[in-house]
Amino acid sequence: VTRRASLWGVQSKSEPALDQPQVIQAALDLLDEVGLDGLTMRRLAEKLDIKAPSLYWHVRNKDHLLSLLAEAICARTHLPESTLPWRQQIEALAHEYRRALLARRDGARVLASVFPSGTNRLRLIELVLRNLLNAGFSRRDAAYAGFMLNDFVTMFVMEETRPIEQPANGQEGPPTTAQEWVEGLSPGEYPSVRALADHLMDNNAQERFVFGLEVLLDGLERRLIGKS
Amino acid sequence: VTRRASLWGVQSKSEPALDQPQVIQAALDLLDEVGLDGLTMRRLAEKLDIKAPSLYWHVRNKDHLLSLLAEAICARTHLPESTLPWRQQIEALAHEYRRALLARRDGARVLASVFPSGTNRLRLIELVLRNLLNAGFSRRDAAYAGFMLNDFVTMFVMEETRPIEQPANGQEGPPTTAQEWVEGLSPGEYPSVRALADHLMDNNAQERFVFGLEVLLDGLERRLIGKS
DNA sequence: ACCTGAACACCGTTCAAGT
DNA sequence: ACCTGAACACCGTTCAAGT
């Protein structure tokens, strides 16, 4: 990435200045490289060959940058056929949403860190809510269900992608692996945790996601049956 | 909080040194005062009338401190009657868990930031899993359901307690209030979002929590009925 | 219009040294 | 055993100044 400063008022077409889309793209690349915790304004500036304060010409502050990243992460989600039954549409949307969050490192954490706004993200929300209304949910239930679905997917992916604690040093500490975690439990205590240890940490994420989605939609569907 | 250094090897009973419980208590107080983002090692040290490096004698690092805080937050949760039916026990545990997370500022964020460990927290998990197993769920389903319940409560409280964005400056920016947020939507687009705006932001949290818990447990219960 | 230099007010953490 | 001083390697952000 090479650029040059142009003189004030002189629109030098051969030396285009940095613009916001380029900043966002660089930030997305940096996010994939170093994760959300490593994404700093200073490192982003370095990547763009400018000094950190220059970034504030293109974005209001770091929070604004994260909002823009959230929007970019929600872009290019494939929307379901509007002729499908509501449940299948919502299932498809949930899977697409998860896919989008997994596509970039710490995508779920980025989404969780900013208030939902932006056309891409709102379009997803709109579609979920529309399907719930079409299904026959009351306005209250549709709104509450929308929260649940959004929260479920976001939290699921955050957990799914949470890196396991590293040993860091040879010292004693919190368990470094899931295996070590369960073995650290005193044998007599927490018998259920021990009994379920395999499944608590298999991290067969796809299977677990389908399970969760089914439970959630079953629970929602039951409210429709109760009414009609 | 006043203390004095004691001479090396001299156990001066009248001048007790700082110990870990005192550090934790001060950290909890500081958390309530300034929130998770304001909780820094340096401020905590200041509150304890020591210098920041001294803290590392009592806790391994900030992450360790947060683990200790998570444990403290999970303490003093009232456990349900073990004679109650599984669903009522889990409902009671969910409400207690939420209550504990709400009891301290940013409690949910603290819990979400550390890997689950510690006796208080494990006891809650153990009880949920035990009830699911008693209810007749397979080991796999019980484990997955445990995740869902934990994630639901944690995410719910995080959202419930997320402070609304402040105006900060007079400039244009992300919406500052929920009211402003929905009014900023272009009228033609996102009709469902607009139609549900009241319920998307009423933040009648208690009602919404009960709704979510019922949906979740209904969805889980359906899997039992399908089997027997 | 867009970028830099210098500065402010912070962070977590280490490590030798004090008592 | 417990604490301090000094330092390292960072942060986000502002603001006057450059071109």
Side-chain angles (χ1 to χ4, degrees):
Chain A
V1 185
T2 61
R3 300 157 311 85
R4 291 279 161 272
S6 62
L7 241 60
W8 179 69
V10 176
Q11 296 292 349
S12 116
K13 284 180 180 176
S14 56
E15 301 281 14
L18 198 61
D19 57 358
Q20 206 183 63
Q22 290 176 66
V23 173
I24 295 170
Q25 187 54 55
L28 287 170
D29 293 346
L30 186 57
L31 186 65
D32 277 339
E33 290 169 27
V34 298
L36 182 57
D37 295 328
L39 176 64
T40 69
M41 299 299 272
R42 292 172 117 105
R43 287 217 237 188
L44 177 55
E46 200 175 0
K47 196 177 182 63
L48 288 165
D49 269 320
I50 58 177
K51 305 297 175 181
S54 312
L55 284 173
Y56 292 81
W57 182 264
H58 302 283
V59 299
R60 209 153 32 238
N61 50 36
K62 191 175 183 179
D63 237 52
H64 183 214
L65 176 67
L66 290 174
S67 296
L68 296 171
L69 292 185
E71 258 301 275
I73 288 170
C74 288
R76 308 208 163 273
T77 44
H78 179 259
L79 303 183
E81 280 286 342
S82 63
T83 56
L84 289 172
W86 71 272
R87 178 156 175 161
Q88 284 182 41
Q89 283 198 55
I90 287 186
E91 274 169 358
L93 283 164
H95 279 105
E96 269 297 298
Y97 189 33
R98 171 161 174 251
R99 198 195 48 71
L101 296 186
L102 287 173
R104 308 222 76 120
R105 169 125 81 127
D106 286 339
R109 283 178 67 199
V110 171
L111 268 282
S113 74
V114 296
F115 194 84
S117 64
T119 62
N120 293 330
R121 197 165 175 191
L122 280 172
R123 186 167 42 240
L124 288 175
I125 297 173
E126 169 70 20
L127 270 176
V128 170
L129 297 180
R130 184 182 304 167
N131 274 291
L132 290 167
L133 288 173
N134 285 343
F137 287 100
S138 72
R139 291 168 64 245
R140 192 204 74 153
D141 286 9
Y144 289 1
F147 273 107
M148 290 189 77
L149 287 162
N150 181 69
D151 289 358
F152 167 70
V153 178
T154 309
M155 197 63 164
F156 188 97
V157 178
M158 282 181 70
E159 201 173 75
E160 169 182 21
T161 56
R162 164 144 59 179
I164 7 178
E165 252 89 316
Q166 290 297 10
N169 46 33
Q171 289 300 86
E172 199 74 28
T176 67
T177 72
Q179 177 69 13
E180 190 179 312
W181 174 69
V182 70
E183 284 172 356
L185 299 177
S186 38
E189 283 178 305
Y190 320 119
S192 309
V193 177
R194 279 187 85 95
L196 303 188
D198 301 359
H199 297 284
L200 288 173
M201 54 197 46
D202 62 359
N203 220 2
N204 189 340
Q206 178 63 28
E207 179 186 291
R208 193 160 66 84
F209 187 75
V210 169
F211 173 93
L213 200 52
E214 192 178 315
V215 165
L216 236 164
L217 289 169
D218 281 351
L220 288 173
E221 215 165 41
R222 192 174 184 284
R223 298 185 80 86
L224 288 179
I225 297 164
K227 276 208 309 191
S228 63
Chain B
V1 183
T2 60
R3 301 158 309 86
R4 288 282 161 270
S6 61
L7 242 59
W8 178 68
V10 176
Q11 296 293 349
S12 117
K13 283 181 181 178
S14 57
E15 301 281 11
L18 198 61
D19 57 0
Q20 207 184 62
Q22 288 177 68
V23 172
I24 295 171
Q25 187 54 54
L28 287 170
D29 293 345
L30 185 57
L31 186 65
D32 276 339
E33 289 169 28
V34 297
L36 181 57
D37 295 327
L39 176 64
T40 70
M41 299 299 273
R42 293 171 117 104
R43 287 217 237 189
L44 176 56
E46 199 175 3
K47 199 177 178 64
L48 288 164
D49 269 318
I50 58 177
K51 305 298 174 181
S54 311
L55 284 173
Y56 291 81
W57 182 265
H58 301 283
V59 299
R60 208 153 33 238
N61 51 34
K62 191 174 181 180
D63 237 53
H64 183 215
L65 176 68
L66 290 175
S67 296
L68 296 170
L69 292 185
E71 258 300 275
I73 288 169
C74 288
R76 306 208 164 274
T77 45
H78 178 260
L79 302 183
E81 280 286 341
S82 61
T83 56
L84 290 173
W86 70 272
R87 179 157 176 160
Q88 284 182 44
Q89 282 198 56
I90 287 185
E91 275 169 357
L93 282 164
H95 279 105
E96 268 297 299
Y97 189 34
R98 171 161 174 252
R99 198 195 49 70
L101 296 186
L102 286 173
R104 309 224 74 121
R105 169 125 81 129
D106 286 337
R109 284 179 66 198
V110 172
L111 269 280
S113 74
V114 296
F115 194 84
S117 64
T119 61
N120 293 331
R121 198 166 174 190
L122 280 171
R123 185 166 43 237
L124 288 175
I125 298 174
E126 169 70 19
L127 270 176
V128 170
L129 297 180
R130 183 182 304 169
N131 274 290
L132 290 167
L133 287 173
N134 285 344
F137 286 100
S138 73
R139 290 167 65 247
R140 192 205 71 152
D141 286 10
Y144 289 0
F147 273 106
M148 290 189 76
L149 287 161
N150 181 67
D151 289 359
F152 167 71
V153 178
T154 309
M155 196 63 163
F156 188 97
V157 177
M158 282 182 71
E159 202 172 75
E160 170 182 23
T161 55
R162 164 143 62 177
I164 7 180
E165 252 87 318
Q166 291 296 12
N169 47 34
Q171 289 300 86
E172 199 73 29
T176 65
T177 71
Q179 178 69 12
E180 190 179 312
W181 173 72
V182 70
E183 284 172 357
L185 300 176
S186 39
E189 285 178 306
Y190 320 119
S192 308
V193 177
R194 277 186 87 95
L196 304 187
D198 300 1
H199 297 285
L200 288 172
M201 55 197 46
D202 62 359
N203 220 1
N204 190 340
Q206 178 64 28
E207 179 186 290
R208 193 160 66 83
F209 187 75
V210 169
F211 173 92
L213 200 53
E214 192 177 315
V215 166
L216 235 165
L217 289 169
D218 281 351
L220 288 173
E221 215 166 39
R222 192 176 184 281
R223 298 186 79 87
L224 288 180
I225 297 163
K227 278 207 308 191
S228 64

